[in-house]
Amino acid sequence: MDEAIRELQDRFGGLPTPAEAEDIWSDLWHEEAHNSTALEGNTLVLREVAKLLEEGKAVGAKPLRDYMEVRGYGDAAKWVYGQALEPGGWTDGSIVTVQEVRNIHHVLMTPVWTVAPHPDANDYEGPGSFRQHEIAEFSEGMKPPSWTDVDHLVRDWVESTNGLRGPSGDVSTPEKLARLHNRFEQIHPFLDGNGRTGRLVLNLLLGRMGYPPAIIYKRDRDKYLRAMRRADRGEDGPLAELIARSVTTNLYRFVLPAVAGPVKLVPLAALATEEMSENALRVAATRGRLKAVKAEDGSWRSSRNWLEQYEKSKYQRVKKSSSA
């Protein structure tokens, strides 16, 4: 994770802003809004999410609440991306503030709250406000603290989080991020939307430290929940691995290919697609079919130009074989 981001910084000057690389961030935006809401049971598919976020069109026949959940998440994620890299007057240089945490929840929950407010909420528990209810014990035994402790616990959490430093200094490890993410969910500061808010806050931290966002994919829901339960018991490793893998995957899948250009050498993971896996590219490089360079650590690097040449030659071989 840290090695990958150092390469991005050394070779390309760091993570591009949403204004500099709109296409990169749009893809991340769609994927995150889809998967993070799907973890909570939202039924919109990725195509419907993209249509809603880009054009404001509600395609399909899903419950209104589902569209409003995605709309709110999309608005909050876009705010987080911009806030992480170009904070303006919102922050004094801290990694995160209490005001930012509350604003993320406010932006996230306002659309769905207008059509389906929480049935138990009082007048002081709307979007952006801390809960004033007790939360029942979770199925695995962890019980969030009393609502009377939430305000000072969030402030303690913010203070602990601001002890993190970015990749250029005392490198913050995935374990620290996992611990902070899990602790936020344990506090459960809001009446509803804590999982989505926690993942958005995690991505604010990552962006502030120069990393792309982590996306917990809906296919990994069970793995994520198991990792969170283990983190409740002080075992941060599985959650840290999930976060690190997500950040690295997004760096290689979305960021490096877009900023590297067609002739820049990048790890094979940055060139992999659904049709052409990283392993298939590695086999092609090993056999000399894909032009690539072997780095000192034994990994292969290639370019988009070389990949296009390989795909053309592969197509020609298949065409020749089928006509024989």
Side-chain angles (χ1 to χ4, degrees):
M1 174 173 165
D2 294 321
E3 180 182 349
I5 201 67
R6 279 195 291 270
E7 177 180 1
L8 181 67
Q9 291 173 326
D10 293 343
R11 296 178 63 190
F12 308 110
L15 196 65
T17 67
E20 295 169 328
E22 185 176 349
D23 290 346
I24 298 174
W25 289 98
S26 288
D27 288 339
L28 288 166
W29 186 38
H30 301 162
E31 290 279 357
E32 183 185 352
H34 168 52
N35 284 280
S36 193
T37 54
L39 289 175
E40 310 293 339
N42 192 281
T43 60
L44 268 65
V45 299
L46 182 59
R47 176 183 61 82
E48 294 168 337
V49 168
K51 199 77 171 176
L52 179 64
L53 297 185
E54 293 292 349
E55 302 178 26
K57 294 181 179 178
V59 297
K62 305 296 174 61
L64 178 59
R65 177 191 179 98
D66 286 12
Y67 293 105
M68 293 298 99
E69 283 180 348
V70 169
R71 177 75 268 172
Y73 196 100
D75 291 345
K78 180 172 280 192
W79 186 87
V80 164
Y81 297 162
Q83 184 71 5
L85 300 174
E86 299 176 311
W90 266 86
T91 181
D92 56 3
S94 301
I95 292 179
V96 66
T97 66
V98 175
Q99 182 186 16
E100 288 174 321
V101 172
R102 295 180 66 158
N103 190 67
I104 288 171
H105 186 263
H106 176 79
V107 176
L108 167 73
M109 296 301 296
T110 294
V112 70
W113 205 271
T114 61
V115 299
H118 195 286
D120 298 327
N122 63 35
D123 293 341
Y124 304 100
E125 291 178 295
S129 298
F130 294 145
R131 62 181 167 90
Q132 295 185 4
H133 277 77
E134 300 298 332
I135 302 295
E137 185 175 293
F138 295 156
S139 59
E140 294 298 318
M142 200 284 290
K143 187 179 189 313
S146 172
W147 71 267
T148 57
D149 294 325
V150 165
D151 186 82
H152 79 80
L153 288 174
V154 171
R155 294 180 188 281
D156 289 347
W157 180 88
V158 165
E159 184 176 349
S160 297
T161 302
N162 285 327
L164 287 171
R165 295 177 63 189
S168 60
D170 183 16
V171 176
S172 57
T173 63
E175 286 80 7
K176 289 180 181 178
L177 289 168
R179 192 171 302 129
L180 288 167
H181 178 54
N182 178 253
R183 181 55 183 155
F184 183 89
E185 298 303 339
Q186 287 178 331
I187 297 171
H188 228 64
F190 304 103
L191 193 58
D192 193 17
N194 290 281
R196 285 163 283 167
T197 301
R199 290 187 289 276
L200 284 162
V201 171
L202 172 63
N203 285 338
L204 177 63
L205 307 184
L206 285 164
R208 288 261 165 87
M209 293 185 290
Y211 297 108
I215 298 174
I216 308 300
Y217 286 87
K218 63 179 181 179
R219 63 175 178 267
D220 292 328
R221 182 179 186 275
D222 290 342
K223 184 186 298 184
Y224 174 60
L225 294 178
R226 286 195 300 270
M228 290 290 279
R229 290 195 291 267
R230 291 183 65 177
D232 286 340
R233 302 193 294 269
E235 301 174 41
D236 300 314
L239 183 58
E241 181 181 354
L242 197 62
I243 292 171
R245 189 182 301 275
S246 174
V247 170
T248 303
T249 296
N250 288 336
L251 182 66
Y252 286 150
R253 181 182 175 190
F254 295 108
V255 182
L256 277 180
V259 301
V263 299
K264 292 285 187 179
L265 295 180
V266 295
L268 297 183
L271 301 171
T273 63
E274 291 185 3
E275 294 77 21
M276 190 78 66
S277 68
E278 180 183 356
N279 186 60
L281 294 177
R282 188 182 301 111
V283 170
T286 303
R287 293 178 177 176
R289 292 180 176 175
L290 169 64
K291 191 173 181 180
V293 175
K294 202 169 189 179
E296 292 182 2
D297 62 1
S299 64
W300 289 97
R301 293 171 180 266
S302 188
S303 69
R304 277 190 282 168
N305 273 0
W306 287 350
L307 178 60
E308 288 176 5
Q309 292 173 17
Y310 168 64
E311 289 175 333
K312 287 179 181 177
S313 65
K314 182 181 178 183
Y315 172 75
Q316 290 170 354
R317 289 196 303 272
V318 170
K319 186 176 180 181
K320 183 177 179 180
S321 174
S322 63
S323 61

